[in-house]
Amino acid sequence: MSNTFGHKFTLTTFGESHGAAIGGVVDGMPAGIDIDLAFIQNELNRRRPGQSKITTSRQEPDKVELLSGVFEGKSTGCPIGFIVRNENQHSQDYENMRTVFRPSHADYTYQSKYGIRDHRGGGRSSARITISRVVAGALAKLALRQKGIKIQAYTSQVGNICLDRDYHHYDLNLTETNVVRCPDQEKAAEMEQLISEVKAEGDTIGGVITCVVKGCPAGLGEPEFGKLHAELGSAMLSINAVKGFEYGDGFDFATRRGSEVNDRFITKEQIVRTVTNHSGGIQGGITNGEDIYFRVAFKPVATLLRPQETIDMEGNTTTLTARGRHDPCVLPRAVPVVEAMTAIVIFDHFLISGIAV
């Protein structure tokens, strides 16, 4: 089950970074949903490598092939199988890592758990595996589109450069107009410059992605162990390099008083609303009809193009100088992954709640 995510709308993934293909099976997709293959491919294009000078130079078309579950442009209600073939592996770049545990990578933990590991690009632990999430997320987005729900993520911080206002103050439609995927053009230029400088030093840097869900009705989420924010947190923390998740005002609540952050209810045009939205659209684990918003913290990429001291599989101290093509910052390519996992969770809870699609 560790390779399957979801309850009613499920994704099971397979593949390795340097294997023949990445793929998956989506089950639970209702019949009759319009399947826009161009939209799915565009979502993959937003995630694919080689987009700009601040991403990995690996060149992959990442063309998706739908194998089942779609007929004449609509979902049939049967499992949707898909693959994306790997076409530009440079496995020889990883030969010097065959017997070495890379700092902060999953090499040692995979070796400890399975007694064997694929050293080429991290194998199953590679961020390339997120391809399957993006395909499933695109399918979920197509279903949510019929409900008028829009999911928008953006880069809100790289290193110490961050947006100083909340999402209401930005035109999120500008997110895709720069390579960093930040809706503030000036901050985006600063972030890009910082990433370029870090890359030139053979180093990496982390940051934060903010995600906003608009149009979600009240009533999604389950009490106790099925709380929507917990499900979103689980989804985000399953993404490679994610180290933190907070929704609504998050950790800011710890320094505030209840009188400052309680969201007062009102009736507006015969609809229950809240005057403020410190809760991030979720109360008691269930949506209240306001915008859902949350932040996801990403660590710096663990692969540095500079010498690092580590040990080999025999416990001997050694120095590793990584080769290959790596992202100096995952944020720009992680934005569509965050959106995809959000879409999967939201649509899954539509099906759990029995709300008609």
Side-chain angles (χ1 to χ4, degrees):
M1 291 301 294
S2 63
N3 298 300
T4 299
F5 182 83
H7 303 282
K8 296 286 189 179
F9 181 83
T10 65
L11 165 66
T12 301
T13 73
F14 65 84
E16 294 84 32
S17 177
H18 286 235
I22 306 295
V25 176
V26 170
D27 205 357
M29 186 71 163
I33 302 295
D34 291 328
I35 304 300
D36 184 345
L37 186 58
F39 173 78
I40 298 171
Q41 186 60 57
N42 185 65
E43 293 293 278
L44 280 173
N45 293 345
R46 296 171 65 213
R47 193 225 69 95
R48 74 176 180 83
Q51 295 181 44
S52 73
K53 63 182 181 180
I54 62 170
T55 64
T56 172
S57 60
R58 180 172 177 170
Q59 294 295 323
E60 291 278 7
D62 285 353
K63 184 177 180 181
V64 63
E65 302 173 39
L66 299 183
L67 306 178
S68 62
V70 178
F71 180 68
E72 296 183 342
K74 292 185 180 293
S75 59
T76 63
C78 298
I80 299 176
F82 62 88
I83 60 170
V84 173
R85 300 182 190 276
N86 294 325
E87 298 182 7
N88 190 230
Q89 309 98 311
H90 287 181
S91 298
Q92 67 277 6
D93 289 342
Y94 297 88
E95 192 57 34
N96 67 327
M97 304 177 192
R98 179 183 288 273
T99 62
V100 175
F101 295 137
R102 295 171 295 171
S104 283
H105 275 276
D107 298 343
Y108 173 70
T109 52
Y110 268 56
Q111 189 73 38
S112 297
K113 182 176 179 62
Y114 299 107
I116 187 173
R117 65 184 173 88
D118 185 346
H119 67 282
R120 305 166 302 166
R124 184 70 172 154
S125 68
S126 169
R128 186 157 176 74
I129 307 306
T130 59
I131 282 174
S132 298
R133 299 166 183 243
V134 173
V135 174
L139 291 167
K141 280 185 175 182
L142 289 172
L144 292 172
R145 180 190 289 178
Q146 299 185 178
K147 304 294 293 184
I149 295 173
K150 184 175 182 180
I151 298 169
Q152 177 72 70
Y154 61 92
T155 300
S156 55
Q157 181 173 346
V158 173
N160 61 359
I161 301 171
C162 60
L163 303 187
D164 53 10
R165 298 180 294 175
D166 72 29
Y167 69 92
H168 294 97
H169 295 90
Y170 300 98
D171 180 358
L172 300 189
N173 292 320
L174 297 177
T175 299
E176 295 293 320
T177 62
N178 57 75
V179 297
V180 184
R181 293 200 163 93
C182 173
D184 184 312
Q185 299 297 333
E186 291 185 7
K187 291 289 187 180
E190 294 179 29
M191 291 173 180
E192 182 179 356
Q193 179 62 30
L194 177 57
I195 295 171
S196 296
E197 292 173 359
V198 166
K199 180 181 179 181
E201 297 170 358
D203 213 336
T204 62
I205 197 162
V208 175
I209 288 176
T210 297
C211 187
V212 183
V213 183
K214 291 181 173 290
C216 201
L220 295 186
E222 299 297 310
E224 197 60 11
F225 300 115
K227 291 179 169 66
L228 190 68
H229 60 267
E231 301 269 294
L232 287 169
S234 174
M236 297 307 127
L237 290 165
S238 74
I239 299 172
N240 306 61
V242 169
K243 289 296 183 181
F245 169 83
E246 65 173 2
Y247 75 102
D249 283 1
F251 282 90
D252 285 345
F253 277 124
T255 62
R256 308 287 291 278
R257 298 189 179 192
S259 56
E260 298 176 291
V261 297
N262 277 357
D263 293 317
R264 182 167 60 88
F265 288 104
I266 60 171
T267 301
K268 186 175 182 179
E269 297 177 356
Q270 299 184 322
I271 299 175
V272 175
R273 302 295 304 271
T274 59
V275 176
T276 56
N277 189 21
H278 299 290
S279 301
I282 303 171
Q283 292 167 328
I286 301 171
T287 56
N288 63 9
E290 302 297 329
D291 292 348
I292 299 170
Y293 67 93
F294 56 86
R295 289 161 35 95
V296 187
F298 286 78
K299 73 171 185 175
V301 176
T303 300
L304 310 184
L305 298 182
R306 56 163 67 175
Q308 293 188 84
E309 189 173 290
T310 185
I311 63 171
D312 62 21
M313 293 173 63
E314 303 300 322
N316 302 309
T317 299
T318 185
T319 298
L320 170 68
T321 300
R323 298 192 296 266
R325 302 157 295 175
H326 307 279
D327 287 289
C329 178
V330 301
L331 276 295
R333 295 176 59 213
V335 165
V337 182
V338 168
E339 290 181 2
M341 293 305 292
T342 303
I344 292 171
V345 170
I346 297 298
F347 186 54
D348 192 22
H349 276 269
F350 260 100
L351 300 180
I352 291 170
S353 298
I355 299 176
V357 179

